[in-house]
Amino acid sequence: MRHQPAALVGIVTERQEAQKALEETRARFIQAQKMEAIGQLTGGVAHDFNNLLAVVLGNLSLARKRLPPDGKLRQLIENSIQAAERGATLTKRMLAFARRQELTRGPIDVPELVRGMAELLQRSISSNIPVSTQFPLQLPLAFADASQLELALLNLTVNARDAMPDGGMITIAAREQRIGGGEVASLAPGSYVCLSVTDTGTGMSEETLAKATEPFFTTKGIGKGTGLGLSMIHGFAEQSGGRLVLKSALGRGTTAELWLPAAEGDLLRGAGQAPAPDLPVLNPLTVLVVDDDPLVLMNTGAMLEDLGHKVLEATSGEQALRVLRRNEAIDLVVTDQMMPGMTGAQLIDAIRTEHTELPVILASGYAELPEEKLTGIVRLGKPFEQADLARACEKCAGGSAGRALPSKARLIPFRLLKAQRNHRPDAAFLL
C-alpha cells in the first residue's frame, strides 16, 4: 500500500511533463505561424513601398537634370533623393527579413558598413550601453550580401543588448585571418574577414550554447523572442561560404563571430577607387514597358524617353503580347514580375515562344523567382534609378539576354548624348 502513492505521483509527474512539452510545442508552432504571417505582410508592404520609392527616385532624378542654376533648389532635390534612398535601404531590410529579397553578393567594406549603421544600432539599444569599434587600418573587403550582413549585425547587437539587462558594453570588431585545411570546422582554406560582436552580459551555459543556433530555440520566453535570429544568421553565413561561431560562458559575456570569405584580389579598405566611366546608353530604341502600376509604368517610360528611346506601354502580360504581335520593330521589353493574371516570368516564357531572340529585362525586388525559367535574363532590382536602367539596357546590347540589339543601338557616352540633346555644336560624338 505504501508504494501505490509513489506510483501515482510518478504517473502524474510524467503526464504533467508531457503536457508541458505539448504546450511548449504548440506555443512554438503558433509563434512560427505568426512569424510567417508577419513575414508575408512585411514582404508585401516592402514591395509596395519599393514601387512608390521607384517613382519618387525616378522623378526626382529627372527633375534634377532640368533644374535652373539655383543652389538652394538643387539642395532640396538632393536631400529628397537621399531620403528616398534611405527608404529604399529600409525596404531592402524588410524584404531580407521576409526572405523575399533577391540576394546579391559583392565586395563589402565592413568598417564602412558598420559606420553607416551607427545611428540605427544606437537607436536599437539602451543609452546606458556604449558601443565601441575595433578595426585594423587595412582590412580586405568581405564577399557577401550587404543587406543580409546589415540584418545579421543588427540581430547580433540586439541579442547583446538583451544579454545585459543591467547595462554593459558592446564591442564590434573585425579582423582578417587565413584559414588552412581543417583549422575551423566547415570553412574551406582561404582568407576570411571575421566580424565579431562582444557583450559583457550574463553569458550562456554549455547546454544553451549548444542549442543557440537551433531554429525556434530562445531563452527569452514565449512572445519575447522568435528563436529565429541566430538560425537565420547561421544560414546566411553558410550560404555565403562562411560560418557563425559563438563563444560564451556564464557570467563572462558572449562573442558572436561571423566569418565571411574575403573578396578575391587586392581589394583593401582605403585603396583608391578608379573613377566611374561615362555612363553608356543606347541610341534610340523602341522599348515596350510592362507594369500593372500606372505610376511605375509612367516613371520607367519617362526615364527611357529621357535617354532618347521610344516607349510603348502595357499594363498586363496579355496586353504586352498583343502589342508585340502588332509591332515588329520592338527592340527590347522591360517587364515587372508581380502582375495579376500573368507574371513577368510567364510573359517571358510566352515571348520566347513567339519572339525567340527578343531581349527582356525583368524588374523585381523579390527573390522568389522561377530561376530555371529566367536563364540569360537581365534582372533589375526595384527601386532602380535611370543609371541602373541604362546599364541593364547595355547588358542586353552585349547579348547576355538573347540576340544583340540592332546595329542602330551603338553606344555613346551619356555626357555626349546629353550634349547632343542640348544641340552643342562643339561636342565630338562617338558613333
Side-chain angles (χ1 to χ4, degrees):
M1 294 294 293
R2 293 179 181 178
H3 297 290
Q4 289 179 355
L8 289 173
V9 169
I11 293 172
V12 171
T13 302
E14 288 179 2
R15 286 182 177 177
Q16 287 176 339
E17 291 177 352
Q19 183 68 25
K20 182 179 179 181
L22 181 61
E23 289 176 357
E24 288 179 354
T25 301
R26 184 184 298 118
R28 288 181 181 178
F29 177 72
I30 293 173
Q31 186 72 5
Q33 285 185 316
K34 287 166 62 178
M35 290 304 301
E36 176 65 21
I38 292 171
Q40 291 178 355
L41 176 63
T42 302
V45 170
H47 177 263
D48 289 343
F49 265 102
N50 263 343
N51 278 345
L52 296 174
L53 288 168
V55 175
V56 172
L57 279 170
N59 283 298
L60 286 173
S61 297
L62 293 176
R64 179 174 55 186
K65 294 171 66 175
R66 292 163 171 78
L67 283 178
D70 184 331
K72 290 185 178 180
L73 185 58
R74 180 169 294 276
Q75 187 60 51
L76 290 173
I77 294 291
E78 293 292 344
N79 290 346
S80 299
I81 290 175
Q82 289 180 22
E85 287 173 345
R86 287 175 62 181
T89 300
L90 177 61
T91 58
K92 286 179 181 179
R93 290 178 182 145
M94 293 169 66
L95 285 169
F97 168 78
R99 293 293 185 179
R100 295 190 176 189
Q101 183 190 18
E102 184 174 357
L103 302 182
T104 304
R105 295 176 66 190
I108 302 171
D109 185 332
V110 171
E112 188 62 32
L113 179 140
V114 173
R115 281 192 290 269
M117 294 183 64
E119 183 181 350
L120 174 65
L121 294 176
Q122 195 61 62
R123 283 204 312 265
S124 302
I125 61 178
S126 304
S127 57
N128 65 332
I129 301 179
V131 179
S132 65
T133 57
Q134 296 178 2
F135 300 122
L137 292 178
Q138 286 191 328
L139 187 71
L141 302 178
F143 191 72
D145 182 272
S147 296
Q148 282 284 57
L149 181 56
E150 287 179 342
L151 184 64
L153 180 58
L154 179 61
N155 275 328
L156 291 176
T157 305
V158 170
N159 280 351
R161 175 204 67 188
D162 293 342
M164 300 183 294
D166 299 322
M169 173 178 257
I170 296 175
T171 302
I172 301 175
R175 69 182 189 274
E176 176 191 10
Q177 188 164 331
R178 292 199 64 83
I179 299 297
E183 287 186 23
V184 178
S186 76
L187 285 185
S191 181
Y192 290 84
V193 175
C194 178
L195 174 64
S196 63
V197 177
T198 302
D199 64 64
T200 57
T202 56
M204 292 183 281
S205 66
E206 291 185 6
E207 182 182 359
T208 301
L209 187 61
K211 298 179 179 180
T213 57
E214 293 181 4
F216 306 113
F217 176 80
T218 178
T219 59
K220 299 177 183 179
I222 299 300
K224 295 182 179 180
T226 65
L228 292 174
L230 287 177
S231 63
M232 289 171 64
I233 297 171
H234 173 72
F236 157 66
E238 290 201 336
Q239 290 169 9
S240 302
R243 192 186 175 204
L244 174 65
V245 177
L246 299 177
K247 301 176 181 178
S248 185
L250 282 176
R252 297 184 181 180
T254 300
T255 295
E257 294 182 344
L258 189 56
W259 292 73
L260 297 170
E264 295 180 359
D266 298 324
L267 299 174
L268 298 178
R269 190 177 70 85
Q273 296 182 351
D278 288 321
L279 176 64
V281 295
L282 297 170
N283 241 348
L285 301 172
T286 300
V287 184
L288 173 59
V289 182
V290 191
D291 202 302
D292 63 309
D293 188 315
L295 290 176
V296 177
L297 183 64
M298 181 177 63
N299 178 69
T300 305
M303 288 193 288
L304 287 166
E305 288 177 345
D306 184 71
L307 292 172
H309 305 309
K310 177 183 177 182
V311 175
L312 301 176
E313 297 180 346
T315 57
S316 67
E318 293 84 353
Q319 185 183 6
L321 291 175
R322 291 195 294 271
V323 173
L324 283 168
R325 289 168 188 143
R326 292 196 305 265
N327 294 270
E328 295 292 334
I330 292 176
D331 302 308
L332 176 66
V333 175
V334 180
T335 179
D336 183 32
Q337 164 64 10
M338 300 299 292
M339 298 184 294
M342 179 184 290
T343 66
Q346 291 170 336
L347 174 60
I348 289 170
D349 260 353
I351 290 175
R352 281 174 168 170
T353 301
E354 301 181 23
H355 308 270
T356 311
E357 298 182 345
L358 181 63
V360 180
I361 296 172
L362 179 65
S364 175
Y366 277 95
E368 298 172 356
L369 299 174
E371 298 293 338
E372 69 281 356
K373 297 182 179 181
L374 300 176
T375 304
I377 296 299
V378 173
R379 309 270 274 273
L380 190 59
K382 285 186 174 182
F384 54 84
E385 297 186 41
Q386 190 179 40
D388 304 315
L389 183 58
R391 293 190 190 100
C393 291
E394 182 193 10
K395 287 183 182 179
C396 289
S400 61
R403 67 174 173 86
L405 289 169
S407 59
K408 68 178 181 177
R410 290 170 291 179
L411 297 177
I412 62 177
F414 178 73
R415 59 180 174 83
L416 295 183
L417 177 66
K418 186 176 179 181
Q420 185 183 37
R421 290 196 192 119
N422 292 334
H423 305 291
R424 284 175 50 186
D426 57 334
F429 299 106
L430 305 177
L431 299 176

